[in-house]
Amino acid sequence: MMKSLSLFAFFCIISVAAASTAYPSVPGLDSGDCGLTGDETLLVPPRREVYDAGRIFDISHKYTPELPVWESKEGLANFLWLAVSMKNGSRANGSAMQIGAHTGTHVDAPGHFYDNYFDAGFDVDSLDLRLLNGLTLLVDVPRDTNITAEVMKSLNIPKGVNRVLFRTLNTDRRLMFKKEFDTSYVGFMEDGAKWLVENTDIKLVGVDYLSAAAYVNSVESHLVFLESREIILVEGLKLDGVPAGLYSLNCLPLRLVGSEASPIRCILIG
């Protein structure tokens, strides 16, 4: 028992001394909180949306049962379960999950709407990581309309800008926090997608709901965006509380060979 207490005290000192914003101290072992209470309910894991005093923003949505799913009223529901449990005698805990590739914050590959591209292997593993990482512009879209050619013109996005995140009424309405799918979300109309392709240098399009395309133009706008295999769509971004402007974007999808989409973790660094 004494050896255990000594080890605990040593670990407590090291933990407090080494604590930083990048490596927070172990919950329950913060300065002034090194007592042995025996109450495990006091262990509270840190969860953050913003890091380093507002310099880093996590713009990926959490995977919860309430996360909306395309054309579903039930949301993601019971997608995660503990397949093996220490409470049931296993040596370790091991979770399993079942989700669609287009769930939550995710990226589309060309094979999503082009079957010949899908058969040829244009999957998420073929996407250019250079496009998914780099200087990015976050813009606010007029709140009373889908993204049309007229809207795109009004945004005055400079030539040479390769990555743009479009914040819309979807963020104001917090649609990604409502489990029932909403067909009235804001997205690109076909003419807006065409204007972007023909008049800008944008190669990464980021949006704040489950589809870059407006519901009424779901197929048409996707076909415009994905035809050249040069534009990457990142959908379901969490853009609330992030000031408009220039950032460094860092997005990494899973290397799902053979899949036309993948969940993706994205952050902005100001």
Side-chain angles (χ1 to χ4, degrees):
M1 178 61 178
M2 291 301 296
K3 289 183 178 179
S4 298
L5 286 172
S6 298
L7 182 60
F8 176 84
F10 173 77
F11 183 63
C12 177
I13 293 168
I14 294 299
S15 174
V16 171
S20 69
T21 54
Y23 297 95
S25 58
V26 176
L29 296 183
D30 289 336
S31 179
D33 188 24
C34 286
L36 281 171
T37 66
D39 186 354
E40 294 182 358
T41 61
L42 294 179
L43 296 175
V44 179
R47 300 188 190 278
R48 306 175 184 85
E49 307 298 327
V50 180
Y51 296 74
D52 200 10
R55 197 177 73 89
I56 302 174
F57 296 88
D58 190 335
I59 57 171
S60 313
H61 278 279
K62 297 175 183 176
Y63 283 75
T64 69
E66 291 75 32
L67 192 69
V69 174
W70 184 261
E71 294 187 335
S72 169
K73 293 182 178 181
E74 306 303 322
L76 193 51
N78 298 319
F79 72 101
L80 180 70
W81 63 94
L82 200 56
V84 293
S85 170
M86 294 176 70
K87 292 180 178 64
N88 292 332
S90 297
R91 294 173 61 187
N93 293 318
S95 296
M97 64 180 180
Q98 183 174 7
I99 62 172
H102 297 265
T103 303
T105 307
H106 66 278
V107 62
D108 286 351
H112 184 27
F113 274 83
Y114 285 91
D115 204 35
N116 58 323
Y117 293 167
F118 184 90
D119 292 342
F122 289 96
D123 55 20
V124 288
D125 191 50
S126 72
L127 296 177
D128 190 342
L129 289 181
R130 292 171 297 180
L131 282 181
L132 287 164
N133 296 270
L135 194 63
T136 302
L137 178 64
L138 169 60
V139 299
D140 279 301
V141 174
R143 294 306 202 248
D144 58 349
T145 178
N146 278 308
I147 305 176
T148 63
E150 193 63 32
V151 169
M152 282 301 304
K153 292 178 189 176
S154 73
L155 293 175
N156 296 313
I157 296 171
K159 284 282 190 177
V161 174
N162 298 133
R163 305 168 194 85
V164 178
L165 310 183
F166 295 86
R167 180 165 50 202
T168 74
L169 185 63
N170 301 330
T171 293
D172 299 348
R173 295 175 63 196
R174 295 181 64 80
L175 292 188
M176 285 296 294
F177 295 93
K178 299 176 180 179
K179 72 176 182 178
E180 184 171 350
F181 178 74
D182 193 326
T183 61
S184 68
Y185 70 87
V186 172
F188 276 85
M189 299 296 286
E190 183 179 10
D191 69 322
K194 285 182 177 179
W195 199 94
L196 181 149
V197 169
E198 295 171 0
N199 297 280
T200 77
D201 297 321
I202 298 170
K203 301 302 179 186
L204 181 141
V205 174
V207 296
D208 52 1
Y209 199 55
L210 293 173
S211 174
Y215 190 73
V216 293
N217 272 180
S218 180
V219 173
E220 297 86 350
S221 296
H222 271 100
L223 290 175
V224 171
F225 279 134
L226 299 175
E227 181 179 14
S228 68
R229 305 193 305 274
E230 295 179 352
I231 292 178
I232 295 177
L233 304 178
V234 181
E235 301 168 328
L237 289 167
K238 188 177 74 62
L239 300 178
D240 52 295
V242 186
L246 282 171
Y247 295 89
S248 175
L249 174 71
N250 298 97
C251 286
L252 289 175
L254 301 177
R255 299 191 68 176
L256 296 178
V257 176
S259 177
E260 79 296 335
S262 168
I264 193 168
R265 186 72 178 266
C266 294
I267 65 170
L268 291 177
I269 302 176

